[in-house]
């Protein structure tokens, strides 16, 4: 989800200006035109983030992972630990050093709806569903992701609950190809269509890019070949694909919480192509981030891995910052001015 090299983006409707740290390249290796992808934007004081009167996820949020493809147990544990770190139990919270994943989520919680209700402080790990046999095949369209959600909530055995405050997180393993994966997107979120699933449910998809495009979707743990002299950072959980996924998952959960039905918080006037609170900060992980620089990161003294937030069970993660609506710039708990 992250590429380097700097170009200026004129966003769609209101011409909100944002920086694209790593613009996408076309098949010939040349940079694509301005507006080619919204997945690589950074912060800008010119962005006009607006509220469009829709709901935010103000009730307690339950994340239901759907594991599509073959997933080793350790990879599942890493992703579960991140979700649990967003709102840790009281017995765990005191043992988590600062800066924490929960502190990162506090910026997302600043977003409110027209009733002045904030995004929920409570994010729970819910029930899970596994489709290791890839019942929809190893090549999925964007609409197929909704069918994967439908299969999970209508399964004959242990179906996922139809949860009004739930978020359905479809996670595809490295051997699954999803439409536009790597070329344009590393993850996306939307809501299911009643005509497909039977219900309107917020959902997100994130793919494991380890075999296909880690330099795109797992940056900075992998670096594009056209960036000379830059070494990749060591992943905090020892898995380039999954550590890269964690940042994309954080990105999509932040946007789902603040814009679940594509009618709440975003810049521009086109809800089908919004610039959302995490889009504004792609490639920024610490103070001074932007362009070809991630910003100031923390280093694990034992492993040498790079991270910016701590989680449950001694876990460490690297997640991008999100847009702070009060400060009007990208913010995170590891900022040097905190």
């Amino acid at each position: 989800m992250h590429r380097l090299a700097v170009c200026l983006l004129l966003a769609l409707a209101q011409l909100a200006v944002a920086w694209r740290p790593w613009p996408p390249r076309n098949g010939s290796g040349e940079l694509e035109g301005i507006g080619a992808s919204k997945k690589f934007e950074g912060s800008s004081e010119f962005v006009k983030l607006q509220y469009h009167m829709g709901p935010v996820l103000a009730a307690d949020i339950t994340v239901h992972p759907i594991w599509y493809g073959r997933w080793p147990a350790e990879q599942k544990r890493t992703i579960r630990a991140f979700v649990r770190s967003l709102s840790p139990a009281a017995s765990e919270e005191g043992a988590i050093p600062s800066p924490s994943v929960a502190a990162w989520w506090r910026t997302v919680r600043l977003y409110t709806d027209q009733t002045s209700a904030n995004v929920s402080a409570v994010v729970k790990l819910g029930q899970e569903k596994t489709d290791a046999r890839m019942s929809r095949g190893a090549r999925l369209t964007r609409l197929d992701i909704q069918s994967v959600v439908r299969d999970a909530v209508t399964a004959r055995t242990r179906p996922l609950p139809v949860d009004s405050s739930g978020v359905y997180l479809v996670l595809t393993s490295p051997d699954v190809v999803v439409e536009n994966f790597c070329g344009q997107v590393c993850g996306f979120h939307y809501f299911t269509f009643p005509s497909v699933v039977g219900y309107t449910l917020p959902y997100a998809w994130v793919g494991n890019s380890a075999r296909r495009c880690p330099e795109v979707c797992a940056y900075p743990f992998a670096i594009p070949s056209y960036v000379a002299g830059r070494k990749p950072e060591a992943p905090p959980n020892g898995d380039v694909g999954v550590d890269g996924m964690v940042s994309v998952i954080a990105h999509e959960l932040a946007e789902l919480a603040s814009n679940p039905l594509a009618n709440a918080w975003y810049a521009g006037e086109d809800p089908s192509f919004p610039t959302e609170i995490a889009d504004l900060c792609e490639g920024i992980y610490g103070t001074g981030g932007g362009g070809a620089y991630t910003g100031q990161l923390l280093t694990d003294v034992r492993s040498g891995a790079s991270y910016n937030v701590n989680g449950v069970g001694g876990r460490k993660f690297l997640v991008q910052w999100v847009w702070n609506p009060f400060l009007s710039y990208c913010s995170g708990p590891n900022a040097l001015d905190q």
Side-chain angles (χ1 to χ4, degrees), residues 71 75 172-176 181-182 207-218 221-222 239-245:
W71 284 91
Q75 293 186 336
T172 52
S173 60
D175 48 346
V176 179
F181 186 28
C182 295
N208 188 327
S209 66
R211 296 181 190 170
R212 301 183 183 279
C213 60
E215 73 284 356
V216 176
C217 295
F221 307 126
D239 189 316
V240 168
V242 170
D243 278 303
M245 286 184 75

Side-chain angles (χ1 to χ4, degrees), residues 140-163:
L140 302 175
T141 66
R142 292 175 72 104
L143 192 58
D144 286 336
I145 301 298
Q146 295 202 23
S147 297
V148 172
V149 175
R150 181 186 64 193
D151 293 344
V153 299
T154 61
R156 291 185 179 181
T157 59
R158 298 183 180 180
L160 291 184
V162 177
D163 192 343

Side-chain angles (χ1 to χ4, degrees), residues 71-156:
W71 284 91
E74 179 56 27
Q75 293 186 336
K76 288 185 176 183
R77 282 193 288 267
T78 298
I79 292 174
R80 289 187 191 116
F82 175 73
V83 174
R84 288 177 47 229
S85 298
L86 292 165
S87 179
S91 60
E92 296 177 300
E93 189 169 12
I96 300 174
S98 184
S100 68
V101 176
W104 174 86
W105 186 253
R106 289 187 197 118
T107 301
V108 183
R109 288 169 50 196
L110 296 175
Y111 290 87
T112 62
D113 64 17
Q114 58 184 312
T115 70
S116 298
N118 291 76
V119 167
S120 177
V122 178
V123 183
K124 299 177 291 186
L125 183 65
Q127 297 183 39
E128 305 178 26
K129 195 68 178 174
T130 298
D131 188 350
R133 295 184 295 177
M134 297 180 286
S135 58
R136 294 278 168 182
R139 302 187 70 89
L140 302 175
T141 66
R142 292 175 72 104
L143 192 58
D144 286 336
I145 301 298
Q146 295 202 23
S147 297
V148 172
V149 175
R150 181 186 64 193
D151 293 344
V153 299
T154 61
R156 291 185 179 181

Side-chain angles (χ1 to χ4, degrees), residues 30-97:
E30 297 177 352
L31 293 178
E32 292 185 354
I34 291 176
S37 167
K38 77 177 186 69
K39 300 306 295 181
F40 308 98
E41 295 157 7
S43 63
S44 170
E45 61 185 19
F46 301 106
V47 170
K48 293 181 174 63
L49 185 70
Q50 293 184 327
Y51 176 56
H52 297 263
M53 305 306 290
V56 299
L57 295 183
D60 291 359
I61 301 167
T62 303
V63 179
H64 298 287
I66 301 172
W67 307 97
Y68 192 88
R70 291 175 286 274
W71 284 91
E74 179 56 27
Q75 293 186 336
K76 288 185 176 183
R77 282 193 288 267
T78 298
I79 292 174
R80 289 187 191 116
F82 175 73
V83 174
R84 288 177 47 229
S85 298
L86 292 165
S87 179
S91 60
E92 296 177 300
E93 189 169 12
I96 300 174

